[in-house]
Amino acid sequence: MTAVEANKFQRRQTSRIESTERRAGDIIGWSKENSPLVLTWLGDSSAAVRVFVIAGQHGDEVQGRQAAARLIASYGQGVRGVQAAVLTNANPDGALRNTRMNTDGIDLNRDHQSLRSVEMQFIHRFVRQWRPHVIVDVHNYPSRRRHLVERGLVAHHDVLVDVPTHPAIKLALSEEQRDEFLTTIREELKSEGYESERYVLVSPAGRVRHSTTDVVDARNGLALRYGALTVLLEGRAPIRKEGAVAAERTIVAQHLALNSILKLAGQFGETLIGNSGSIGRESEIVPVRCCYRLAENALALKFRDVKTSDVREVVFPEFRGRLKVTRQIALPAAYAVPLANRELIELLKLHGFAHHIANSQEAVRIERYFIESVTAAPCDGQTPKRISLKTNQSLAPLDGYAIFPITQTGGRALAVFLEPKSNYGLHRYGELNLPLLADSFYPILRVLAG
Ligand SMILES: [Zn+2]
């Protein structure tokens, strides 16, 4: 969608909002079983900063949905210059059955790249049309993990927060500003008596790292595709025997965090609005593979002791808190996808990437990969560990190809999706028919300018 179209959409939304007494009830799509995905508009519809709150991707996470509903009921203390759209229930079918997945067994928060679910197709379409500057993804995390309970520990933090981690994502806020963003949320929670931490995962072996770098979740997926600042907001899911008081504590903490994010969105408004939306430039370097490395310092985390219920600090020496890029590529002018690969083109269309069909016989400079050898991925959804490529440049006509220029919103995402050496490539999905086969040409071409 062009800027002009986006403005038109914006005006249409605005007039629709003004013409209704109450701002509730825009339907942006339907679940597999035809439950509406209902959006509620909050704040001044002429405000410059747009924030999209999405709760309930996982149908069994109750408190997050309730916190989003509470934001609708009491919105806006200290919030300036922000309008919000709140989707309290992104997975109504899962919520009805109290299951994490949707009706088809799809984990919606692992579906932001492959868009297999109708729910995600509708939600992405809304994001593309409304173009929020900030997207808050609301979840609940389990307070008891078996391997931690075995060490006598249960989760103590009321809220965990995080921002995008994939290194190809370019955001309006600098790393320092993102840290400030997270720190301010956490300080505000603390001043009200709630504990929080940046989102970390503790493995059974005691290794700790931040959230995944994969682009299948809302946090990385939507930030990479649309350049929005995404914020993951995980509230502690109490266990049943903790009762209503503990559940209420989580809801209040998540509501507080939501309000704090909205306030910050207003404060960072000018910077957020200035974002170019991850538009690519030819020759620009895009990371397509990375890993977490050991940080210099150990990480201390607070836990509640299973037996005594006291809160104590546990030090994890193996804190993988440092992200290291291990492979990067230079962007071509465009990627050319054979029209014969219909499944792949359909998916890129679902993602809303602009493209055109080459219709001239004129030869252009292209680069083609030859796959010399490849260690097959262990299973669908995974990337081969090793792949050896040779490239050769030539002049060739592009009839029979769909051309996806990288000078568009999310242009950098095209490299992450389409490069054969990407650890996050669409070749991971068997149904897209993009296998990496030894002794063959990779079907997607890099189109070089001039
Ligand atoms: Zn979740």
Side-chain angles (χ1 to χ4, degrees):
M1 168 180 281
T2 64
V4 176
E5 283 171 321
N7 276 335
K8 241 192 252 164
F9 182 87
Q10 179 72 28
R11 275 203 300 278
R12 212 161 55 228
Q13 294 297 352
T14 308
S15 60
R16 185 158 25 168
I17 291 161
E18 282 162 0
S19 65
T20 47
E21 282 266 292
R22 298 177 62 213
R23 288 182 176 180
D26 253 335
I27 295 172
I28 58 163
W30 287 267
S31 71
K32 181 74 187 286
E33 292 182 36
N34 282 319
S35 283
L37 301 173
V38 183
L39 203 68
T40 304
W41 301 95
L42 300 173
D44 176 0
S45 61
S46 65
V49 181
R50 299 186 287 276
V51 180
F52 179 33
V53 176
I54 166 173
Q57 287 196 80
H58 293 141
D60 57 347
E61 297 173 6
V62 180
Q63 294 82 24
R65 289 201 302 269
Q66 291 176 335
R70 211 164 283 190
L71 181 72
I72 294 170
S74 70
Y75 167 75
Q77 212 181 16
V79 180
R80 303 261 179 285
V82 171
Q83 52 172 318
V86 183
L87 179 63
T88 52
N89 191 355
N91 179 6
D93 300 343
L96 207 61
R97 293 195 190 85
N98 196 33
T99 57
R100 178 179 173 93
M101 315 292 185
N102 80 346
T103 300
D104 291 327
I106 298 171
D107 185 330
L108 297 187
N109 202 32
R110 303 289 178 273
D111 193 37
H112 288 265
Q113 187 179 30
S114 54
L115 302 181
R116 287 163 163 152
S117 66
V118 287
E119 290 88 350
M120 265 322 120
Q121 292 170 17
F122 281 123
I123 287 167
H124 274 234
R125 194 182 66 177
F126 169 71
V127 170
R128 187 154 60 248
Q129 291 172 335
W130 196 54
R131 292 301 302 276
H133 303 97
V134 179
I135 299 172
V136 194
D137 183 24
V138 188
H139 289 263
N140 295 103
Y141 76 95
S143 54
R144 285 172 163 259
R145 290 203 186 267
R146 189 191 289 168
H147 66 273
L148 288 171
V149 172
E150 279 165 7
R151 296 168 75 147
L153 308 170
V154 289
H156 161 66
H157 296 100
D158 299 296
V159 161
L160 300 174
V161 280
D162 208 356
V163 284
T165 44
H166 193 281
I169 294 168
K170 259 195 173 173
L171 294 174
L173 300 192
S174 67
E175 220 166 310
E176 290 72 35
Q177 287 172 314
R178 274 174 256 170
D179 282 346
E180 188 190 333
F181 203 99
L182 291 180
T183 308
T184 312
I185 299 166
R186 294 187 51 205
E187 274 167 5
E188 199 153 347
L189 283 163
K190 195 172 173 127
S191 73
E192 299 284 335
Y194 297 97
E195 289 289 338
S196 64
E197 180 61 75
R198 190 178 154 190
Y199 188 87
V200 285
L201 283 162
V202 182
S203 80
R207 289 194 195 103
V208 182
R209 65 161 170 83
H210 291 305
S211 303
T212 169
T213 55
D214 207 332
V215 297
V216 295
D217 64 1
R219 181 180 49 95
N220 281 327
L222 289 169
L224 178 67
R225 173 66 188 91
Y226 296 107
L229 170 67
T230 50
V231 185
L232 174 67
L233 178 58
E234 296 259 7
R236 194 181 76 95
I239 54 167
R240 196 169 296 148
K241 78 170 187 205
E242 283 180 289
V245 176
E248 176 65 16
R249 183 181 168 93
T250 295
I251 298 165
V252 172
Q254 279 190 290
H255 178 210
L256 201 65
L258 280 171
N259 206 64
S260 163
I261 292 166
L262 287 163
K263 271 196 290 188
L264 279 163
Q267 284 160 21
F268 279 102
E270 255 169 60
T271 317
L272 288 167
I273 291 163
N275 195 19
S276 63
S278 253
I279 291 173
R281 274 183 298 108
E282 196 184 353
S283 311
E284 187 185 2
I285 301 299
V286 175
V288 292
R289 200 178 268 252
C290 63
C291 62
Y292 276 115
R293 291 281 158 89
L294 274 185
E296 275 159 35
N297 300 319
L299 183 72
L301 290 174
K302 283 180 181 167
F303 285 93
R304 198 171 286 284
D305 191 286
V306 172
K307 288 209 183 81
T308 66
S309 278
D310 291 339
V311 173
R312 62 185 168 97
E313 211 170 67
V314 184
V315 176
F316 295 91
E318 254 198 271
F319 172 43
R320 297 184 174 262
R322 229 158 33 96
L323 205 59
K324 184 172 186 277
V325 172
T326 52
R327 182 159 305 275
Q328 49 194 15
I329 59 98
L331 284 182
Y335 287 95
V337 180
L339 290 173
N341 199 331
R342 287 218 295 276
E343 296 85 356
L344 178 58
I345 289 178
E346 275 316 304
L347 176 62
L348 294 172
K349 280 187 188 168
L350 276 180
H351 272 286
F353 284 113
H355 67 286
H356 61 271
I357 310 294
N359 56 6
S360 117
Q361 286 289 326
E362 191 195 340
V364 295
R365 201 149 62 88
I366 56 136
E367 194 166 52
R368 188 190 292 264
Y369 289 116
F370 182 74
I371 305 172
E372 293 181 310
S373 66
V374 62
T375 328
C379 52
D380 193 21
Q382 290 185 8
T383 301
K385 278 238 163 356
R386 228 170 270 132
I387 173 166
S388 164
L389 302 172
K390 234 175 25 198
T391 56
N392 72 59
Q393 287 189 15
S394 61
L395 286 168
L398 287 177
D399 54 327
Y401 284 88
I403 316 298
F404 293 83
I406 54 91
T407 49
Q408 61 173 304
T409 297
R412 297 161 62 85
L414 284 170
V416 177
F417 285 13
L418 299 177
E419 285 288 335
K421 281 210 171 178
S422 169
N423 206 29
Y424 318 89
L426 292 177
H427 48 70
R428 295 189 283 182
Y429 304 99
E431 76 267 23
L432 295 182
N433 244 329
L434 191 65
L436 299 173
L437 299 173
D439 264 326
S440 73
F441 283 102
Y442 185 60
I444 297 169
L445 310 179
R446 288 162 55 87
V447 182
L448 309 174

